[in-house]
Amino acid sequence: MKKDNIRDYAAEAFRFYALSRSGEARSDDPAARADIEAVDRVIQTLRDEPDGDLAIRCLELVYFSQPRKLPGRGAISDRARYASVQLGLSEPVIYRKLRQLRRNLALERGLRIG
């Protein structure tokens, strides 16, 4: 997977979102709250798109799975491969959806993309 400048930030934001929704993480940090709100907006936007349910499922299978521990080397690739099998899509399609999810989060969060 080609690394972009927001990949690690977005992956951690999605992981923290999953932890907070399960009640395992709390933070009064304004940045953490802004991340959670941005992920909420991304998910809400996806619900209105034609293939949004598929993108949400990719998000769940890749970034929301096992949120309690930091992903080790190759974990995201393994999860993308698993999502490919589960959803009947090719791995490049999964990676494009993940890249779009990260980009949408960056836009919602007001991060510089480039």
Side-chain angles (χ1 to χ4, degrees), residues 10-59:
E12 179 57 26
F14 289 135
R15 188 180 77 82
F16 185 75
Y17 176 87
L19 276 174
S20 68
R21 291 300 173 231
S22 68
E24 295 184 38
R26 287 197 180 273
S27 179
D28 293 329
D29 180 27
R33 282 197 310 266
D35 284 345
I36 291 170
E37 292 168 2
V39 174
D40 272 333
R41 288 191 303 271
V42 167
I43 292 171
Q44 197 59 30
T45 302
L46 289 172
R47 288 191 176 123
D48 298 333
E49 293 181 5
D51 285 341
D53 56 335
L54 203 55
I56 291 171
R57 191 71 182 122
C58 285
L59 181 63

